[in-house]
Amino acid sequence: MPAVPAEPAAEATDGHRPAPPAARATEAPAPVPLRPAEIAARAGQRRHPVPVRRGTADPVKSLMHHHRALCERAVSPLEIAAGLEAHGLTDRTAARYRHRDVFALAEELYARTPAGPAEAPPPVAAAPHPDAGTRAGWTLL
């Protein structure tokens, strides 16, 4: 078997594989740009900033604002639950509002709705004018 001449050991340039002997002698360091304006923009690499959608910290508050009339006239949480289901809210939608079902969400909406003013008594009818009988007679003639 013929003897294979031994090659000199090549030095590793980046720690992974040795560079060829000819490349070591001709490599020159790349010029470092002095200012950011000198840095060439890479085509296709520019990304527009994606707007971050930040919801409210309390999603139930926005739901209560949206269904305010329903919540204010409701007599019980069950009435709110029926109204929410009529508007298309399901248990899956209630999970977005951090509640297990529509009934638990309706109970919270009912508890958060401020108590409206007590119903005012019906207005008292004014006493008839003392001259009303005479006027009615002339009107009929």
Side-chain angles (χ1 to χ4, degrees):
M1 188 163 163
V4 178
E7 292 183 20
E11 295 178 10
T13 56
D14 61 349
H16 296 291
R17 63 183 166 152
R24 269 187 256 140
T26 59
E27 263 184 57
V32 179
L34 301 175
R35 295 184 305 246
E38 294 176 1
I39 298 174
R42 291 185 233 167
Q45 294 293 325
R46 189 177 268 186
R47 292 183 61 191
H48 297 286
V50 178
V52 178
R53 184 175 179 205
R54 291 191 178 108
T56 60
D58 188 13
V60 178
K61 186 175 181 181
S62 65
L63 183 70
M64 191 170 84
H65 178 71
H66 187 70
H67 297 283
R68 183 181 358 178
L70 171 69
C71 295
E72 287 176 351
R73 71 172 183 259
V75 180
S76 72
L78 294 176
E79 191 174 345
I80 294 176
L84 292 176
E85 286 181 339
H87 281 99
L89 264 77
T90 61
D91 290 344
R92 180 175 281 178
T93 310
R96 290 186 201 160
Y97 294 101
R98 302 177 189 148
H99 288 277
R100 69 179 185 274
D101 57 6
V102 177
F103 296 101
L105 181 60
E107 286 176 7
E108 183 168 346
L109 289 173
Y110 185 75
R112 283 189 185 194
T113 303
E119 288 187 26
V124 179
H129 196 290
D131 204 22
T134 308
R135 289 183 185 175
W138 278 103
T139 308
L140 291 174
L141 281 176

